[in-house]
Amino acid sequence: MSDSPIIALPRRCIHGLGRARGLTMVELLTVISILAILLSLATPSFVRLIADWRVSTAATAIGGDMRMARAEAMKRSRAVSICPLDGNGACGDASANDWANGWMVFFDNNNDGVRDENEDAIRIQPALPGLAAMTASLAGARTFFPNGLMNPGGNGLDYTITSSATNTVARKVCVSTTGRTVSFNDSSTTCP
């Protein structure tokens, strides 16, 4: 038995790890309070970022659907209308000017701006979240004809989109009679 070597283990291996390592309660509370202060400073700019993103999404969606309606009218040699939806998911009447509930793009066989049972929907855009208002300069539906022109046209129309989070975030989308869409970050801009 004396031939076997005796291995001396350090005292802390025998009795555990020694002193426990980690954070004290005071250190943990200090870190949490610093993070809370930094988060409270970043929150207002984050709210504005989300509001701007939602308004930008709405501007892109209405502009894209206007371009799609025009392209479908020219491709299929049929009138295509886009109308604002009412609270029930149907096209609003001729005086409807609130596009915040969404809109519908459809083949308009009789050019009346109202979707009838025999007219197929091409796309239905439901209400987008975070919008306080989305109003057009002209009420009612827009119809694109096979030649690519829009009615009612006049000098074109514009949509003003405002965020519900903060009324300072707004955008204007201008649509010409030929279907050209331009988006501006400033809602007070005059459409070309």
Side-chain angles (χ1 to χ4, degrees):
M1 292 255 175
S2 63
D3 291 342
S4 65
I6 298 177
I7 300 174
L9 295 173
R11 185 175 177 112
R12 74 177 190 174
C13 289
I14 296 172
H15 299 291
L17 294 176
R19 182 173 178 226
R21 296 182 183 179
L23 296 173
T24 65
M25 185 61 81
V26 172
E27 292 170 333
L28 184 62
L29 289 175
T30 303
V31 169
I32 290 173
S33 62
I34 290 172
L35 287 175
I37 291 169
L38 292 176
L39 185 62
S40 69
L41 293 174
T43 300
S45 63
F46 191 63
V47 168
R48 177 147 174 98
L49 176 73
I50 290 174
D52 188 48
W53 174 73
R54 287 180 171 169
V55 168
S56 177
T57 299
T60 302
I62 191 68
D65 284 347
M66 285 286 182
R67 287 187 296 275
M68 182 195 49
R70 180 177 183 265
E72 284 294 320
M74 293 170 60
K75 180 171 80 172
R76 306 220 187 233
S77 295
R78 295 171 63 184
V80 174
S81 290
I82 181 168
C83 66
L85 296 177
D86 61 14
N88 299 323
C91 282
D93 60 13
S95 64
N97 196 29
D98 183 13
W99 292 69
N101 290 326
W103 54 88
M104 180 188 312
V105 181
F106 62 95
F107 292 114
D108 195 359
N109 298 332
N110 56 4
N111 300 333
D112 65 351
V114 178
R115 183 174 174 236
D116 300 320
E117 288 182 20
N118 64 339
E119 297 172 333
D120 295 328
I122 300 170
R123 177 163 163 35
I124 298 173
Q125 172 64 55
L128 294 168
L131 298 181
M134 185 172 178
T135 55
S137 59
L138 297 172
R142 312 291 175 256
T143 301
F144 285 95
F145 296 109
N147 63 2
L149 296 179
M150 179 180 59
N151 184 34
N155 293 327
L157 63 112
D158 59 84
Y159 294 91
T160 303
I161 306 166
T162 309
S163 169
S164 62
T166 171
N167 286 336
T168 59
V169 177
R171 191 163 295 215
K172 183 174 274 191
V173 177
C174 301
V175 184
S176 70
T177 54
T178 59
R180 179 176 170 253
T181 60
V182 181
S183 178
F184 296 99
N185 289 333
D186 183 11
S187 63
S188 63
T189 303
T190 303
C191 289

